[in-house]
Amino acid sequence: MKHALIKRAAEDILRVSHVTALTGAGMSAESGIPTFRDKGGFWERYDPEEYAHINTFYTAPEKPWQMFKAFEMQVKARPNAGHLALAEMERLGWLQEIIAQNVDDLHQEAGNSAVIEFHGNFRRAVCLSCGAYYEIKNISLDILPPRCRCSGVLKPDAVFFGEPIPQKAFMQAVEATRSCKVMLVVGTSAIVYPAADMPAIARQAGARVIEINPEPTSLTGWVSDYIILGKAGEILPALVEELKKMAL
Ligand code: OAD
């Protein structure tokens, strides 16, 4: 069954000229970064209202920074077999871009160049006073919140709850979603909007929507055409093998 669906996905991809992937936390689970909503996930340890809302950032910026500091420990994480498979798909012309909800930079590290950072990127911080950007690895997190040379408070360049999606990323994502003919939805529960809208928009515009996830999601059975049940690090490399077998 699983192999038949992987074959079907490869056929669907080879039939079209524009494939977009929408990825979520499950993509990096096999790199050792916990997801948000699975058992043991981030939101079990950190109440998002308390740690990840923009209002908290303005009143008590050290709190979100404590959470991001814990996340930073895992920034040593390396791309897994799923990330590498998506990079290979881009290299071979079978994937045009990724709409990434993750802020961990692992797609870029794996070699993908067309990555739309829908929720920003935690590897950067921005000064709320003067707008200067810093690479997280170049700033000390010993005293929180970290501050800019101008003494302004630094904020991780990731989207907080209550904040809008960065305009350019949003426009690029909508454009990709409307023009793709296949959308691969990998490792996301698809319950955080507006990212979760993208598969339905793609489907409405005529794309085939294929999920890769160990569990059914809120899209399964109505927005997505089918789901390949399994881990990203298992299914995506198998999909690349199948694509190569069929096309090369
Ligand atoms: P969730 O934690 O909501 O969902 C993770 C999904 O990954 C679930 O559907 C799991 O079944 C699936 N999963 C787990 N392990 C997997 C694996 N090895 N391979 C493939 N899938 C796997 O995370 P997201 O959907 O990414 O927003 O959450 C969306 C947004 O909510 C995040 O970007 C973040 C969070 O609040 C912001 O920070 C703004």
Side-chain angles (χ1 to χ4, degrees):
M1 171 73 171
K2 202 183 282 185
H3 184 249
L5 286 177
I6 291 171
K7 213 165 153 226
R8 182 173 165 194
E11 283 165 0
D12 285 339
I13 288 169
L14 290 177
R15 251 199 298 270
V16 302
S17 55
H18 191 153
V19 177
T20 298
L22 170 69
T23 60
M27 189 76 224
S28 296
E30 290 155 88
S31 294
I33 301 179
T35 63
F36 293 96
R37 297 177 182 79
D38 291 310
K39 206 169 159 349
F42 259 101
W43 298 151
E44 241 176 46
R45 280 175 291 154
Y46 298 96
D47 175 358
E49 278 300 312
E50 196 182 340
Y51 284 90
H53 200 283
I54 192 63
N55 292 344
T56 313
F57 197 85
Y58 290 132
T59 50
E62 66 285 356
K63 277 213 155 181
W65 269 111
Q66 279 162 17
M67 180 186 76
F68 276 97
K69 196 172 164 179
F71 185 76
E72 204 264 338
M73 308 288 179
Q74 303 174 31
V75 164
K76 292 172 191 69
R78 311 294 313 150
N80 63 51
H83 293 108
L84 297 174
L86 288 184
E88 194 166 11
M89 281 181 65
E90 183 190 289
R91 213 165 33 244
L92 294 172
W94 295 320
L95 177 66
Q96 276 54 60
E97 67 277 294
I98 298 175
I99 303 169
Q101 295 176 84
N102 293 348
V103 294
D104 58 24
D105 221 26
L106 291 180
H107 285 306
Q108 291 88 333
E109 243 183 73
N112 282 98
S113 56
V115 181
I116 299 168
E117 295 177 343
F118 203 77
H119 288 161
N121 190 324
F122 173 60
R123 301 249 166 133
R124 292 186 304 263
V126 58
C127 173
L128 292 181
S129 299
C130 72
Y133 281 94
Y134 290 80
E135 284 200 45
I136 290 273
K137 66 177 183 336
N138 296 335
I139 59 178
S140 164
L141 299 183
D142 290 343
I143 298 171
L144 299 179
R147 288 183 177 269
C148 179
R149 273 185 291 274
C150 80
S151 88
V153 170
L154 295 183
K155 174 187 170 293
D157 196 23
V159 174
F160 281 59
F161 285 106
E163 267 194 313
I165 303 301
Q167 204 176 12
K168 186 169 166 216
F170 183 76
M171 296 311 287
Q172 288 174 333
V174 169
E175 171 64 27
T177 296
R178 287 211 180 116
S179 38
C180 72
K181 298 289 176 256
V182 167
M183 178 173 271
L184 292 177
V185 182
V186 188
T188 177
S189 58
I191 58 172
V192 173
Y193 291 85
D197 273 330
M198 299 300 152
I201 295 172
R203 170 95 190 235
Q204 242 171 8
R208 191 147 286 186
V209 177
I210 306 168
E211 284 188 271
I212 296 173
N213 198 308
E215 310 274 344
T217 75
S218 55
L219 307 174
T220 312
W222 72 294
V223 173
S224 61
D225 288 275
Y226 53 98
I227 179 167
I228 309 176
L229 289 171
K231 294 180 173 181
E234 167 208 354
I235 305 295
L236 287 169
L239 176 60
V240 170
E241 281 318 301
E242 200 57 45
L243 284 164
K244 283 181 178 167
K245 236 192 287 171
M246 286 182 187
L248 303 178

